[in-house]
Amino acid sequence: MARTPSNMIPLGTIAPDFELLDTITDKMISLDTVVGEKATVVFFICNHCPFVVHVNEELVTIANEYSPKGISFVGISSNDVEHYPQDAPELMQKVAEELNYPFPYLYDESQEVARLYDAACTPDFYVFDANKQLVYRGQLDDSRPGNGVEVTGEDLRHALNCIVAQKENTRLQKPSIGCNIKWKN
């Protein structure tokens, strides 16, 4: 199991635009259609990564908890499905339905969006404020498969609570750790 860290792009970065297929609704979704009133959480995940599987339940809980507070969520899978067929769009849809994803689950076939966000691993989290400026990037929390630390979403929750309270997040932002994005050859 590869342990790849986030690239931690600079805070203040403007969210790159995208338009990708939502595997749940089979419709094209752009950044502007999912942007939240207070914030937007863009995260890179996939079906098979044990790091994502480890946090999926908490991710759904957080999205359900913070969506009513003006924060939107969008998951993106950018993996090479030729070499990782378990991440194919029809299986993304199946996983999203089984886990009741309350957010779009987009397929980045060209991997262009992952490159624009400088995404490195799954899961990889980016939080943009109402002006689409990056205010948080990094991990969900300190839990990893097999490390015995409970999944709480502490780091992401803290970032979102700062946004809701209109306070600056001064806490150290730690890179996420996960499987590397499966780039096409």
Side-chain angles (χ1 to χ4, degrees):
M1 178 164 49
R3 295 178 66 86
T4 302
S6 300
N7 286 325
M8 303 298 279
I9 62 174
L11 294 174
T13 298
I14 300 298
D17 287 329
F18 57 75
E19 185 174 48
L20 297 170
L21 176 70
D22 179 14
T23 60
I24 300 168
T25 63
D26 206 32
K27 294 181 178 170
M28 297 302 286
I29 302 276
S30 69
L31 174 63
D32 287 337
T33 60
V34 294
V35 88
E37 178 188 336
K38 292 184 182 172
T40 307
V41 182
V42 177
F43 47 96
F44 290 83
I45 57 174
C46 69
N47 293 344
H48 84 276
C49 171
F51 292 88
V52 174
V53 171
H54 182 69
V55 301
N56 255 328
E57 188 177 318
E58 184 64 16
L59 189 52
V60 169
T61 298
I62 290 171
N64 282 324
E65 184 179 330
Y66 286 89
S67 292
K69 298 176 182 181
I71 299 173
S72 68
F73 294 78
V74 59
I76 300 173
S77 178
S78 301
N79 279 355
D80 172 9
V81 300
E82 185 178 323
H83 293 97
Y84 297 86
Q86 62 270 50
D87 292 329
E90 61 275 5
L91 298 177
M92 290 170 60
Q93 179 184 32
K94 183 179 178 190
V95 166
E97 289 171 352
E98 286 173 359
L99 297 173
N100 292 313
Y101 278 177
F103 45 78
Y105 191 15
L106 310 182
Y107 176 47
D108 178 21
E109 181 176 11
S110 72
Q111 301 184 315
E112 178 183 342
V113 176
R115 291 185 198 288
L116 288 171
Y117 280 76
D118 203 16
C121 61
T122 54
D124 211 346
F125 296 92
Y126 303 81
V127 179
F128 298 92
D129 67 14
N131 299 314
K132 297 187 210 173
Q133 288 189 305
L134 185 67
V135 294
Y136 179 82
R137 74 282 193 249
Q139 68 177 12
L140 185 75
D141 59 28
D142 289 325
S143 183
R144 306 288 183 265
N147 77 353
V149 176
E150 181 184 0
V151 179
T152 62
E154 170 61 30
D155 293 69
L156 181 60
R157 284 176 183 279
H158 177 76
L160 300 179
N161 287 337
C162 286
I163 289 167
V164 171
Q166 298 180 325
K167 292 182 180 179
E168 183 180 357
N169 181 2
T170 57
R171 188 183 280 182
L172 174 69
Q173 297 185 18
K174 301 176 192 174
S176 187
I177 301 286
C179 298
N180 63 302
I181 293 197
K182 308 308 184 209
W183 301 106
K184 295 178 182 180
N185 295 333

